[in-house]
Amino acid sequence: MLNSLCGRGFDRFFVYLTYLGDGVVVLVLAMLAGYSQAKSKIRFLFLGFSICLIAGLLAQFFKKVVFNGMPRPMGYFTEGALQLVDGVKIHSWNTFPSGHTTSIVTLMLFCAYLYGKKPWIQVLFAVFACGVAYSRVYLSQHFLEDVVGGSVLSILVFFLFARTLYTWFEFADVRWA
């Protein structure tokens, strides 16, 4: 539906953009972002990894246990109602919340925490997260409420766990790099 107005260039763009929300990609990027810090490299590496892992695992728990069987767009609409993108494997079930969105929003919050001293950098991270979230709807993988739910989950996880984990990592060993 959203993608019916766009051409193949947008299709390819969103196919590649959506991979940046994949859990494994996000975990690697979180560790790289944490390790790039001048001080406390290992602490921030573990902090980024831990926050993104917790958010991703919670998204999968909600998706596969709490909201198990909720239809995705392909499972909800009749055959031919969706404009599909070539080469994208479409799933039909377990839609809420969007795991890709949960992962990328958590990562972008972590990056904003590390690098976001200037407001325009924080806006850039937010726009990037919104782009990946939008790609999930564009590719007919999720409904809008799925990506909003994933975003809310990641915000809650970040603000509930970031300070706790940072303090715990700081307390656990004073000899961090």
Side-chain angles (χ1 to χ4, degrees), residues 100-165:
H100 282 72
T101 302
T102 302
S103 296
I104 197 66
V105 171
T106 305
L107 175 63
M108 292 298 102
L109 286 169
F110 179 62
C111 288
Y113 171 74
L114 294 179
Y115 307 111
K117 305 301 182 228
K118 298 186 189 304
W120 68 269
I121 292 176
Q122 294 176 352
V123 169
L124 185 67
F125 288 133
V127 168
F128 188 75
C130 289
V132 174
Y134 178 77
S135 76
R136 303 306 291 159
V137 177
Y138 182 93
L139 296 173
S140 302
Q141 294 287 17
H142 286 286
F143 296 106
L144 180 61
E145 59 262 23
D146 303 333
V147 298
V148 170
S151 298
V152 169
L153 175 61
S154 63
I155 291 167
L156 290 173
V157 166
F158 184 81
F159 287 107
L160 288 174
F161 287 100
R163 176 56 75 183
T164 303
L165 288 171

Side-chain angles (χ1 to χ4, degrees), residues 19 34-35 48 55 120 152 168 171 176:
Y19 283 119
Y35 192 74
W120 68 269
V152 169
W168 185 79
F171 179 74
W176 291 93

